[in-house]
């Protein structure tokens, strides 16, 4: 496996962790009770859905277009939550990294591994 693929996969792993951890941090950063519950529920939901349908070694792992749709949905929700929690600049950086990583994953055909 070449260096670009290793970097892309490493970035992907960190992005998946950052998505859930970043959203869950909204339960500690936001002050109103409804926001705390919402961010906790969204983080847990993304964790459960991703571990069942997005993880490469899951028996129910999605492939092809359905996996791409799942990834776009998860990273869109993640980007939106990051904007709400951390602000527009940090949310934009997160979203840019997610888009670049997704493009590289499919250009390098890593999703089939």
């Amino acid at each position: 496996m070449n260096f670009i693929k290793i970097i892309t996969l490493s970035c992907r792993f960190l992005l998946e962790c950052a998505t859930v951890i970043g959203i869950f941090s909204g339960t500690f950063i936001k002050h109103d009770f409804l926001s705390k519950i919402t961010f906790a529920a969204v983080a847990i939901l993304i964790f459960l859905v991703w571990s069942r349908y997005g993880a490469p070694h899951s028996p129910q792992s999605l492939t092809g277009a359905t996996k791409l749709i799942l990834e776009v949905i998860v990273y869109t929700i993640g980007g939106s939550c990051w904007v709400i929690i951390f602000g527009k600049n940090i949310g934009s950086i997160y979203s840019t990294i997610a888009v670049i990583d997704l493009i590289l994953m499919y250009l390098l055909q890593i999703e089939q591994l």
Side-chain angles (χ1 to χ4, degrees):
M1 192 181 304
N2 67 24
F3 184 70
I4 301 280
K5 287 184 179 182
I6 292 170
I7 295 297
T8 303
L9 278 173
S10 300
C11 182
R12 170 59 158 248
F13 174 73
L14 293 173
L15 192 60
E16 291 169 1
C17 293
T19 301
V20 174
I21 293 169
I23 294 172
F24 193 73
S25 70
T27 61
F28 303 105
I29 294 173
K30 293 298 181 181
H31 297 290
D32 60 297
F33 184 71
L34 184 60
S35 293
K36 291 177 181 282
I37 296 298
T38 302
F39 286 122
V42 169
I44 291 169
L45 181 66
I46 285 176
F47 174 78
L48 292 174
V49 168
W50 191 264
S51 63
R52 182 164 187 131
Y53 300 111
H57 297 292
S58 171
Q60 294 88 15
S61 183
L62 300 175
T63 58
T66 52
K67 175 123 186 223
L68 178 62
I69 292 169
L70 174 67
E71 292 166 338
V72 168
I73 290 170
V74 166
Y75 291 134
T76 301
I77 292 170
S80 300
C81 289
W82 274 60
V83 167
I84 294 168
I85 296 168
F86 302 111
K88 188 169 59 172
N89 291 337
I90 302 294
S92 297
I93 292 169
Y94 167 89
S95 297
T96 302
I97 293 170
V99 168
I100 291 170
D101 189 68
L102 228 107
I103 289 169
L104 286 174
M105 288 289 289
Y106 283 89
L107 281 178
L108 299 173
Q109 297 178 345
I110 298 175
E111 83 281 354
Q112 297 172 356
L113 297 177

